[in-house]
């Protein structure tokens, strides 16, 4: 069985136009801005579109969803005290997620390969 360390975050840029683009990146520092990209499931979301997160299933002895107001976020560096307060990130529930389609960098390679079979 293969295991994946989920506590280690991968640094990089998620900008597909950047030369050092990495689609697997978790965070990116630029100036005084920190971009964080974490899978919803990693932070316990069962239905982020409706703000539902995994509740206390051990006490309930079954799956329990809790609707939350937002997610508390704080950053601290090794060797320093944790932040005294957190910033709450809130979002509006949605039915249809917003998305933008784009061709991946490998598209021309696949296109050329399929052209050989026409």
């Amino acid at each position: 069985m293969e295991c994946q360390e989920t506590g280690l975050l991968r640094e990089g840029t998620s900008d597909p136009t950047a030369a050092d683009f990495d689609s697997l990146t978790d965070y990116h520092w630029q100036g005084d801005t920190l971009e964080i990209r974490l899978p919803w499931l990693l932070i316990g979301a069962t239905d982020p579109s409706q703000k539902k997160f995994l509740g206390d299933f051990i006490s309930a002895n079954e799956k329990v969803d809790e609707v939350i107001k937002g997610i508390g976020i704080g950053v601290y560096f090794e060797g320093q005290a944790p932040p005294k307060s957190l910033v709450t990130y809130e979002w509006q529930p949605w039915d249809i997620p917003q998305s933008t389609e784009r061709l991946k960098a490998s598209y021309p390679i696949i296109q050329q390969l399929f052209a050989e079979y026409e």
Side-chain angles (χ1 to χ4, degrees), residues 3-10 26 37-39 41-43:
C3 295
Q4 180 176 348
E5 171 59 64
T6 59
L8 298 175
L9 300 180
R10 184 176 177 139
D26 295 311
R37 301 173 65 221
L38 299 176
L41 188 58
L42 187 62
I43 58 174

Side-chain angles (χ1 to χ4, degrees), residues 106-117:
S106 61
Y107 178 80
I109 298 167
I110 301 298
Q111 184 181 36
Q112 182 179 4
L113 177 69
F114 282 133
E116 294 174 13
Y117 295 99

Side-chain angles (χ1 to χ4, degrees), residues 38-94:
L38 299 176
W40 284 110
L41 188 58
L42 187 62
I43 58 174
T46 57
D47 183 358
S49 71
Q50 300 305 310
K51 302 175 107 175
K52 291 182 182 178
F53 280 68
L54 193 58
D56 186 1
F57 60 89
I58 294 174
S59 295
N61 203 25
E62 64 182 354
K63 181 180 176 284
V64 177
D65 286 332
E66 289 185 23
V67 176
I68 65 167
K69 179 180 176 183
I71 299 172
I73 299 174
V75 176
Y76 78 99
F77 297 94
E78 188 174 344
Q80 295 181 348
K84 293 182 179 171
S85 63
L86 301 177
V87 174
T88 302
Y89 173 74
E90 298 180 28
W91 65 97
Q92 294 298 315
W94 70 83

Side-chain angles (χ1 to χ4, degrees), residues 11-32:
E11 184 177 8
T13 179
S14 62
D15 178 1
T17 63
D20 58 345
F21 167 68
D22 181 356
S23 65
L24 302 177
T25 189
D26 295 311
Y27 74 97
H28 178 66
W29 284 102
Q30 185 168 359
D32 61 354

